[in-house]
Amino acid sequence: MYLRSRAIVIKNMDYRESDKLVTIFCEHEGKMKAVARGIKKPRSSLRACVQPFCHSSLFFSRGKGMNLITQGKLLEFYGNTREDFERSLYALYLMELLDKSLMEGIAIPRLYTSTLEVLSHLNHSGYNPMLIRYFEMNLLVNLGYSPLLHHCVLCGKKDDLKVFSLPDGGMLCRDCSYQASGAVSLSKETLALIGLLGSSRLVTVERVRVSNKAQKELEYFLEKYLEYYLERRFNLKKAMSILKRSMPKDTHLI
Ligand SMILES: [Zn+2]
């Protein structure tokens, strides 16, 4: 069976002598692994379109064994992300999050679109913390973990909301917060920012002025929320902390 799909290349790794095993996020097929045959040969036409951070149109042959990439065309290469440490670090972080959180074969077209949008902004405009927060929030929302912000998830009260309960996925009022475990305190500014991230376009999010305190609180909240839902299944915490602290010295992007 043959298939053609637009795809974001998440990573590739050595596979047999002249091949690579490529992990991709396809627009309509979701995450998939496929072999790029002969890619290590200097004249391979696939070389340019299966590097990490590429957006490519790929042709596949799907059989009983591994999927094979037979042809490809590069649509966009977010190459500036390799030019400086910070952009590379965060582009790798985005790819790692996708790799660890997506199930194979499940399409998430909205997340696909927002990933392209974030990669494009990171490539052209550089690092902005709100860009990364926007991606993290979009990932959570598209995986079905939208935080419930406007009422207490235990009693339904709409005012006096104090903390966010990670296990319940939403806010708790002052009365209910006493029975909370795994709760994160959120200021009104941070709460408004979380609401904005989940409902606004990236161009709007990028222009918002955020206090240092709220920026830190927001980063902490999203890190904890992502960890809570993804760590147990994917051991994400370790990967996140490594990526956030430093880029591995021997990272090979191709
Ligand atoms: Zn309550």
Side-chain angles (χ1 to χ4, degrees), residues 152-157 161 171-177:
C152 173
V153 286
L154 294 185
C155 73
K157 212 159 102 177
L161 302 174
M171 293 300 290
L172 299 180
C173 69
R174 187 186 297 272
D175 293 339
C176 295
S177 66

XYZ file of all heavy atoms in Angstrom, residues 152-157 161 171-177, ligand 1:
102
model
N -14.901 25.580 40.728
C -14.271 24.554 41.553
C -14.696 23.171 41.037
O -15.895 22.912 40.900
C -14.704 24.749 43.012
S -14.125 23.412 44.084
N -13.711 22.325 40.760
C -14.050 21.017 40.184
C -14.700 20.074 41.198
O -15.276 19.052 40.826
C -12.823 20.313 39.553
C -12.436 20.950 38.249
C -11.642 20.260 40.505
N -14.644 20.423 42.491
C -15.261 19.552 43.501
C -16.667 20.000 43.875
O -17.577 19.187 44.004
C -14.372 19.474 44.749
C -13.004 18.784 44.551
C -12.276 18.661 45.874
C -13.162 17.405 43.912
N -16.862 21.332 44.072
C -18.195 21.772 44.525
C -18.904 22.687 43.520
O -20.073 23.007 43.709
C -18.079 22.477 45.880
S -17.353 24.121 45.759
N -18.228 23.105 42.467
C -18.883 23.910 41.425
C -18.878 25.410 41.662
O -19.331 26.171 40.796
N -18.399 25.847 42.829
C -18.390 27.276 43.148
C -17.551 28.049 42.135
O -16.503 27.567 41.703
C -17.806 27.455 44.557
C -18.370 28.625 45.324
C -18.152 28.422 46.798
C -16.983 29.244 47.294
N -16.770 29.123 48.737
N -11.581 31.002 43.953
C -10.781 29.874 43.464
C -9.328 30.086 43.865
O -8.763 31.151 43.627
C -10.909 29.757 41.940
C -12.346 29.580 41.436
C -12.405 29.622 39.917
C -12.953 28.268 41.939
N -9.462 23.851 38.965
C -9.325 24.710 40.141
C -10.158 24.187 41.316
O -11.168 23.510 41.139
C -9.796 26.134 39.801
C -8.923 26.852 38.790
S -7.197 27.062 39.336
C -7.382 28.266 40.660
N -9.683 24.553 42.512
C -10.429 24.272 43.738
C -10.662 25.581 44.470
O -9.795 26.467 44.478
C -9.629 23.340 44.655
C -9.270 21.945 44.134
C -8.478 21.191 45.202
C -10.516 21.154 43.764
N -11.832 25.712 45.106
C -12.116 26.912 45.884
C -11.383 26.820 47.232
O -10.816 25.779 47.571
C -13.625 27.077 46.094
S -14.300 25.825 47.197
N -11.436 27.919 48.002
C -10.712 27.946 49.284
C -11.164 26.802 50.200
O -10.346 26.115 50.795
C -10.972 29.297 49.987
C -10.138 29.501 51.236
C -10.555 30.780 51.939
N -10.322 31.950 51.117
C -9.165 32.625 51.105
N -8.170 32.241 51.860
N -9.024 33.671 50.322
N -12.487 26.563 50.265
C -12.998 25.513 51.152
C -12.497 24.127 50.747
O -12.122 23.314 51.586
C -14.535 25.499 51.147
C -15.088 26.773 51.779
O -14.336 27.422 52.540
O -16.252 27.113 51.486
N -12.515 23.862 49.447
C -12.134 22.528 48.969
C -10.618 22.359 48.911
O -10.132 21.224 48.853
C -12.729 22.256 47.590
S -14.527 22.185 47.584
N -9.874 23.469 48.911
C -8.419 23.370 48.735
C -7.755 22.664 49.916
O -6.656 22.130 49.774
C -7.794 24.750 48.529
O -7.927 25.520 49.700
Zn -15.060 23.892 46.098
